[in-house]
Amino acid sequence: MDITIMIVDDEEQMRVLVKTFLQNEGYSVVQAANGIEALSKIHKIAPDLILVDIMMPYMDGFTFAEEMKKIKDIPLIFLSAKGEEWDKVYGLRIGGDDYIVKPFHPDELLARIESVLRRAKIASLPATRFMFGPLILDIDSHTAMLDGQSLSLTLKEYELLHLLAKNKGKLFSREQLLHSIWGYGYTGSERTVDTHIKTLRLKLKGYSSLIQTIWGKGYKFEV
């Protein structure tokens, strides 16, 4: 994991606690005691995500967020003891991606971080690339990647996987899949679908459950 998170908080004890937790999870961590210090570091470091307190001296978290967005659009999560609805709404309106009220459980913070990073990754994908859980499909090149590793798929395997993934949760009968992928003129049996599903699952390895069997009905893709 090569992801850098910046913690902006005037409370040193809070920075140390969050830093220790994040480093144990494999993240690189940069600290800043206030918004002004954080802005000066962003030019040099460009973190992947920023955790910022709201009530700080010199420059509060809201002002920092507004100034930071003028420099670079970095995903941002507010961490604050202020739990009023107005503060949450305002924080999200000025560009915050999430808002967590102190005190919080470390597992909640980790889940929120993962969610924001995942949304940022999806938003940065080229228009022809789509993410379905751990799976990324490139429409133009007819290629697939799973957890960052390229999948070696035949054309029919790719088309079958793409059809199921882009219709996540939708149940397809064998007949529907056969007609959609092989065409109505295909004279083979529906067992062709079963064979391709089997090889797809083998190539998906630990993620074979992405393609689910609904006995007597067909298949569907579930993340």
Side-chain angles (χ1 to χ4, degrees):
M1 184 187 299
D2 188 20
I3 295 175
T4 300
I5 297 177
M6 176 181 281
I7 306 168
V8 188
D9 197 314
D10 60 317
E11 296 182 26
E12 183 179 4
Q13 184 178 9
M14 175 60 71
R15 294 200 310 271
V16 172
L17 286 172
V18 175
K19 176 184 177 181
T20 301
F21 173 70
L22 293 179
Q23 286 181 331
N24 288 339
E25 293 296 325
Y27 293 104
S28 297
V29 179
V30 178
Q31 299 182 64
N34 56 68
I36 295 175
E37 180 185 348
L39 287 175
S40 68
K41 289 185 175 182
I42 285 173
H43 290 283
K44 305 173 184 177
I45 300 169
D48 299 285
L49 175 71
I50 299 175
L51 306 175
V52 60
D53 185 34
I54 293 176
M55 300 178 69
M56 297 184 294
Y58 310 116
M59 178 184 290
D60 65 48
F62 289 149
T63 304
F64 163 77
E66 292 174 318
E67 293 300 314
M68 182 272 291
K69 293 293 182 179
K70 296 176 184 177
I71 301 170
K72 190 174 179 63
D73 189 14
I74 301 172
L76 182 147
I77 298 176
F78 288 109
L79 306 178
S80 178
K82 300 178 69 176
E84 289 81 0
E85 194 67 25
W86 182 89
D87 292 304
K88 295 180 182 179
V89 171
Y90 184 71
L92 296 175
R93 280 182 173 173
I94 64 173
D97 295 273
D98 206 341
Y99 190 112
I100 305 178
V101 179
K102 298 177 181 177
F104 49 81
H105 193 281
D107 287 341
E108 179 190 4
L109 176 61
L110 181 62
R112 300 285 190 97
I113 288 173
E114 291 173 347
S115 177
V116 170
L117 289 173
R118 186 163 55 248
R119 293 200 301 267
K121 184 177 181 180
I122 293 173
S124 67
L125 289 174
T128 59
R129 299 183 75 193
F130 300 91
M131 177 177 282
F132 309 94
L135 180 70
I136 296 178
L137 299 179
D138 191 303
I139 308 304
D140 283 348
S141 63
H142 282 62
T143 56
M145 295 187 71
L146 187 67
D147 260 358
Q149 300 296 317
S150 179
L151 288 178
S152 178
L153 303 178
T154 66
L155 178 59
K156 292 302 183 188
E157 287 171 350
Y158 171 83
E159 291 177 345
L160 183 57
L161 183 59
H162 178 225
L163 177 64
L164 290 169
K166 76 176 183 179
N167 292 283
K168 182 178 65 175
K170 179 180 178 180
L171 175 64
F172 286 89
S173 68
R174 291 173 175 78
E175 182 181 15
Q176 287 175 319
L177 292 173
L178 193 67
H179 291 163
S180 297
I181 304 301
W182 283 268
Y184 283 91
Y186 181 73
T187 58
S189 73
E190 294 178 4
R191 297 298 299 173
T192 299
V193 174
D194 296 332
T195 300
H196 280 73
I197 291 291
K198 182 179 180 179
T199 58
L200 264 178
R201 283 174 169 158
L202 288 173
K203 292 179 179 181
L204 291 173
K205 296 180 180 178
Y207 292 97
S208 60
S209 61
L210 287 171
I211 301 176
Q212 297 186 2
T213 300
I214 307 301
W215 296 107
K217 294 184 180 296
Y219 301 99
K220 66 176 181 176
F221 186 95
E222 285 286 2
V223 176

